[in-house]
């Protein structure tokens, strides 16, 4: 028990499956879940690249937006209705601080980590991307209603399309992996044998 959660990782636990917390937000590395032979069904834990990348970017975008809005407030611009600023800031704090409090401990700990350790943290990042999408698109006063729905349709189409592209990764890849082209979106992913 003491070695399982110790701050010093067991040397025998470090392997090709392990990843660093700095790999997680940008999906730098995936995780082979089972054998990788031609006659085995293969599963690769990688997450949805578009959701992970956009949610990570949304965390930085939120900080930029808060700074811009604070400057505008200080200069006397009235961009907000009653309670809108408080609501915007409240959701940013919940999602942003939730992400920080879930993620930062993995940077401090010395234990062996895998990509699935990021999943609770990802929850807060996804909250942030949806909050900003709602704020910048659906609550926008400058976009027409039709434009808002076109943007939503494009975003939903991209998410569904990328899921469909990587469906074999989630449902299992049968046969030789070399027959499944186009899965190596990052050179660091070890989907194919050459990596």
């Amino acid at each position: 028990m003491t070695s399982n959660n110790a701050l010093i990782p067991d040397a025998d636990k470090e392997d090709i499956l392990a990843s660093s917390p700095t790999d997680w937000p940008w999906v730098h590395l995936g995780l082979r879940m089972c054998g990788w032979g031609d006659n085995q069904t293969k599963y690769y834990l990688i997450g949805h690249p578009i959701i992970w990348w956009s949610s990570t970017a949304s965390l930085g975008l939120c900080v930029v937006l808060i700074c811009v809005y604070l400057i505008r407030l200080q200069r006397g611009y009235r961009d907000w209705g009653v309670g809108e600023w408080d609501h915007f800031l409240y959701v940013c704090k919940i999602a942003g601080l939730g992400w920080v409090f879930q993620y930062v401990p993995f940077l401090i700990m010395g234990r062996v980590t895998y990509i699935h350790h990021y999943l609770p943290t990802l929850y807060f990042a996804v909250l942030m991307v949806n909050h900003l999408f709602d704020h910048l698109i659906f609550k926008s006063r400058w976009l027409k209603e039709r434009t808002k729905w076109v943007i939503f349709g494009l975003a939903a189409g991209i998410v569904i399309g990328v899921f469909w592209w990587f469906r074999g990764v989630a449902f299992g890849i049968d046969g030789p992996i070399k027959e499944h082209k186009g899965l190596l979106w990052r050179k660091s992913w070890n989907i194919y044998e050459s990596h």
Side-chain angles (χ1 to χ4, degrees):
M1 178 67 177
T2 58
S3 67
N4 186 26
N5 289 319
L7 292 177
I8 300 168
D10 296 333
D12 63 335
K13 302 273 196 261
E14 290 289 341
D15 57 16
I16 192 171
L17 302 177
S19 60
S20 164
T22 56
D23 295 334
W24 303 337
W26 298 106
V27 193
H28 188 261
L29 253 149
L31 174 64
R32 289 185 179 186
M33 297 296 291
C34 55
W36 219 248
D38 288 349
N39 297 325
Q40 295 174 300
T41 300
K42 295 165 272 308
Y43 299 94
Y44 192 72
L45 179 62
I46 196 159
H48 190 293
I50 300 302
I51 291 174
W52 285 45
W53 295 336
S54 64
S55 65
T56 299
S58 74
L59 297 164
L61 178 60
C62 181
V63 171
V64 170
L65 281 174
I66 288 173
C67 290
V68 167
Y69 288 142
L70 286 174
I71 291 169
R72 289 180 61 81
L73 279 171
Q74 190 176 33
R75 293 187 177 186
Y77 290 97
R78 300 289 171 230
D79 297 322
W80 304 91
V82 175
E84 287 179 348
W85 170 250
D86 292 334
H87 174 72
F88 175 78
L89 205 54
Y90 175 76
V91 177
C92 286
K93 284 191 275 188
I94 293 294
L97 291 175
W99 183 87
V100 167
F101 289 138
Q102 287 284 326
Y103 182 69
V104 169
F106 286 105
L107 297 173
I108 298 167
M109 285 191 286
R111 70 179 286 187
V112 177
T113 53
Y114 303 99
I115 194 169
H116 68 268
H117 288 123
Y118 186 69
L119 295 178
T121 308
L122 179 65
Y123 175 79
F124 291 101
V126 169
L127 284 176
M128 183 68 80
V129 76
N130 287 306
H131 173 57
L132 293 185
F133 193 82
D134 179 59
H135 172 72
L136 295 172
I137 305 301
F138 284 108
K139 290 185 178 166
S140 171
R141 297 179 184 121
W142 299 280
L143 295 175
K144 296 179 182 176
E145 196 65 26
R146 179 183 165 114
T147 306
K148 294 176 184 180
W149 285 104
V150 167
I151 292 169
F152 173 77
L154 286 171
I158 290 168
V159 168
I160 292 167
V162 169
F163 170 78
W164 187 254
W165 185 261
F166 283 99
R167 71 190 177 280
V169 172
F171 299 134
I173 302 168
D174 291 318
I177 192 67
K178 301 259 186 223
E179 293 177 3
H180 300 272
K181 302 290 182 197
L183 298 177
L184 192 68
W185 282 21
R186 297 199 67 167
K187 291 179 182 180
S188 56
W189 292 354
N190 60 349
I191 292 177
Y192 301 110
E193 266 84 28
S194 62
H195 287 78

